[in-house]
Amino acid sequence: MKLYKFLLCACLALPVMSCDDYLDIQPKGIVIPEKSEDYERLLNYAQLLKASESYPNFMTDDVFMPYEDDMTGGFVSLELPKQHLYAFNSEIFGEGESDGLWEYSYNRIYYYNVVIDDIMGATQDTEEHKKQLRAEALVGRAFEYLTLVNAYANHYDPSTAATDPGVPLMLDKNINKTNLQRATVQEVYDQIKADLDEAAPNLPEKPVLNAYRASKPVGYGMLARMYLYMGDYKKALENAVISLQNNSTLMSLFPYKVVDRDKYIGRIDVPDGDENPENIYIRLAPWTFGFSATAYASEELASLYDQEKDQRYLLYFTKYLGGIDLDYPLWAPYIYANMAMSTPEMYLIAAECEARIGSKDKAMEYINTLRDNRIIDNVPLVASDNKDALVKVLEERRREMPMLGCTRLIDLKRLNREPEFAKTIVHEVNGVEYRLEPNSPKYILPIPPSVLRFNPDMIPNIR
């Protein structure tokens, strides 16, 4: 069986949408761009402007689901895979169920591979511009693999990464491959690093057209994220600093407010998408408004906010929506959710690395700069030592980045390696407690059953 619908027919030929005015259908049915501008248009293809699913949030300590609920429908109304995640079941997806995180990530990787493989042979362009387009595609591919390897594999551990099963590496546009194998975690990270190292110098100083296209702060920011996940805090800090040197813009949340408590869309007036200058790399959630009105904040997450002064809580959570009074704070920003990268993440990475290997005061400087744009009359945080600084930074990371793709799941996986941060997550469903222990194999998402069926020698994740 060919590469499977592994890539969800993802690896079908390039779509003939508005593109059919510039792409020719070749005899074998493959659509081949020719001019450099064709590849540039391909980078603007709608599917490449999206990113990973948010369903892994149901496994985390950020989410609370009542059993039944008038607003969200509650646990009983969730699709079965999401119920399985929330209850920490071993099996998640059935044979007939689709795992959008896996399928659409590989879909996008295929398109990036088309650009990476062929752009340098394109006509009617300079070498410099073609290298820039290739660099943008390399960043996109690295972004997808960094998500995939952290969702479907053991968290990076230098002592085991060379043998831990990662995810299949698809590095060209050839879809006629059979019985795919999983590269090791180390091999996947090596490829991510190679892509980003090649891309970073060739990226434009500022994004082309808008932040849906990668630029230098994104290339170095992605390296910072990669090294953070690897536990190489020195290199993570170096790259976060370079990213911030290229773009350190923060947006004050103080001018914005709840416009109409009865509305869903338009409830708040916070700029989103390319109108928010903090969004340095934009990838939208598969569902336009991401996780909005899908789940409530856990009691633990809600308690981290100053609920009277923190604009992130006042704007993005609510206990009243659409004429309904709610018992718990609902995550309901109803703005275009950016699943890729922002300047606040770079402040947080720099702060965490300073707390771990550098200056506690510098760590607090990064955090307080962010908080000064979020909390009314912010009282600057002070750390007694580096350990205290790290606790404060990690709490701020949760306040700043909740309900965002796989972010919290990955953070839990990496922090579980440190005894002082390891935790057991408890979800209650209709009076029954379900527990997810630190370093449980259930933190690793299962390889979709249909992928294993078409690739019989692929190693499954035993949960």
Side-chain angles (χ1 to χ4, degrees), residues 138-434:
L138 287 166
V139 169
R141 184 168 75 180
F143 170 61
E144 296 294 342
Y145 273 123
L146 192 55
T147 301
L148 284 166
V149 74
N150 278 287
Y152 295 95
N154 200 26
H155 191 75
Y156 185 89
D157 182 335
S159 66
T160 63
T163 55
D164 286 337
V167 293
L169 279 173
M170 304 295 295
L171 301 176
D172 57 49
K173 65 180 189 294
N174 177 18
I175 63 174
N176 296 312
K177 297 178 181 178
T178 60
N179 206 10
L180 293 167
Q181 303 295 311
R182 297 171 69 176
T184 67
V185 169
Q186 186 65 60
E187 288 170 335
V188 178
Y189 269 88
D190 287 346
Q191 186 62 51
I192 294 167
K193 180 180 182 299
D195 284 355
L196 293 174
D197 282 344
E198 178 184 343
N202 295 313
L203 290 167
E205 299 290 335
K206 296 183 179 180
V208 176
L209 299 178
N210 53 48
Y212 290 94
R213 301 278 293 277
S215 56
K216 281 197 186 301
V218 178
Y220 290 105
M222 206 68 70
L223 280 165
R225 182 187 291 177
M226 180 196 76
Y227 283 121
L228 178 75
Y229 291 169
M230 295 176 72
D232 189 335
Y233 302 117
K234 180 177 183 293
K235 290 183 179 177
L237 178 58
E238 290 172 355
N239 283 279
V241 168
I242 295 173
S243 180
L244 288 170
Q245 287 171 343
N246 281 271
N247 188 342
S248 59
T249 303
L250 291 175
M251 182 183 72
S252 171
L253 290 182
F254 304 142
Y256 306 107
K257 60 185 183 298
V258 176
V259 178
D260 189 333
R261 295 172 72 238
D262 286 311
K263 285 186 177 180
Y264 293 76
I265 300 170
R267 188 180 72 85
I268 59 177
D269 61 356
V270 178
D272 57 9
D274 198 46
E275 294 181 358
N276 184 336
E278 295 180 347
N279 289 336
I280 57 175
Y281 192 42
I282 301 173
R283 289 295 181 267
L284 300 177
W287 306 101
T288 305
F289 298 109
F291 215 61
S292 288
T294 301
Y296 295 93
S298 67
E299 184 177 349
E300 179 184 297
L301 175 62
S303 70
L304 291 175
Y305 293 93
D306 182 331
Q307 298 181 10
E308 302 296 324
K309 293 185 176 182
D310 195 325
Q311 286 287 87
R312 293 168 295 193
Y313 183 85
L314 297 171
L315 292 168
Y316 300 146
F317 296 90
T318 184
K319 296 184 76 172
Y320 178 92
L321 186 65
I324 300 176
D325 287 308
L326 307 172
D327 294 327
Y328 319 99
L330 180 73
W331 173 254
Y334 277 99
I335 56 178
Y336 292 118
N338 180 19
M339 311 288 279
M341 183 167 287
S342 65
T343 51
E345 182 184 359
M346 293 302 104
Y347 281 87
L348 290 161
I349 291 176
E352 180 174 340
C353 295
E354 285 286 0
R356 288 182 179 276
I357 63 168
S359 163
K360 64 180 177 61
D361 296 329
K362 187 65 175 176
M364 291 299 94
E365 183 180 329
Y366 281 118
I367 290 302
N368 286 318
T369 300
L370 178 59
R371 289 168 60 87
D372 285 344
N373 288 276
R374 300 295 191 259
I375 301 172
I376 300 166
D377 300 324
N378 179 46
V379 177
L381 296 179
V382 178
S384 58
D385 54 26
N386 280 63
K387 183 176 180 180
D388 183 41
L390 181 57
V391 170
K392 287 180 166 62
V393 170
L394 294 175
E395 288 179 349
E396 199 64 39
R397 185 174 171 91
R398 282 189 76 182
R399 284 188 282 264
E400 183 66 28
M401 302 176 68
M403 316 296 184
L404 188 64
C406 297
T407 301
R408 183 56 185 166
L409 177 65
I410 296 170
D411 282 351
L412 286 164
K413 288 173 68 177
R414 68 186 180 94
L415 293 172
N416 275 336
R417 301 301 181 87
E418 304 174 55
E420 62 269 36
F421 295 118
K423 65 186 302 185
T424 297
I425 300 174
V426 179
H427 288 167
E428 183 178 309
V429 178
N430 203 25
V432 178
E433 281 193 352
Y434 297 89

Side-chain angles (χ1 to χ4, degrees), residues 50-221:
K50 295 184 179 180
S52 66
E53 293 274 357
S54 296
Y55 70 73
N57 281 295
F58 285 106
M59 292 177 62
T60 73
D61 53 354
D62 280 352
V63 165
F64 166 66
M65 291 299 296
Y67 185 66
E68 293 181 284
D69 179 59
D70 290 339
M71 174 57 65
T72 66
F75 175 86
V76 293
S77 73
L78 291 175
E79 298 167 349
L80 279 177
K82 295 174 181 176
Q83 288 189 6
H84 295 324
L85 287 166
Y86 193 75
F88 311 130
N89 292 339
S90 295
E91 302 298 324
I92 305 300
F93 296 99
E95 277 288 344
E97 292 170 322
S98 173
D99 180 354
L101 174 56
W102 176 284
E103 291 174 350
Y104 288 107
S105 289
Y106 276 104
N107 176 293
R108 290 185 288 270
I109 286 168
Y110 171 71
Y111 292 115
Y112 289 128
N113 284 342
V114 171
V115 178
I116 293 165
D117 275 4
D118 295 340
I119 182 59
M120 298 311 295
T123 60
Q124 301 181 13
D125 201 2
T126 65
E127 289 298 295
E128 180 182 9
H129 187 237
K130 287 189 285 188
K131 286 182 179 179
Q132 174 200 306
L133 296 178
R134 177 178 164 85
E136 291 186 51
L138 287 166
V139 169
R141 184 168 75 180
F143 170 61
E144 296 294 342
Y145 273 123
L146 192 55
T147 301
L148 284 166
V149 74
N150 278 287
Y152 295 95
N154 200 26
H155 191 75
Y156 185 89
D157 182 335
S159 66
T160 63
T163 55
D164 286 337
V167 293
L169 279 173
M170 304 295 295
L171 301 176
D172 57 49
K173 65 180 189 294
N174 177 18
I175 63 174
N176 296 312
K177 297 178 181 178
T178 60
N179 206 10
L180 293 167
Q181 303 295 311
R182 297 171 69 176
T184 67
V185 169
Q186 186 65 60
E187 288 170 335
V188 178
Y189 269 88
D190 287 346
Q191 186 62 51
I192 294 167
K193 180 180 182 299
D195 284 355
L196 293 174
D197 282 344
E198 178 184 343
N202 295 313
L203 290 167
E205 299 290 335
K206 296 183 179 180
V208 176
L209 299 178
N210 53 48
Y212 290 94
R213 301 278 293 277
S215 56
K216 281 197 186 301
V218 178
Y220 290 105

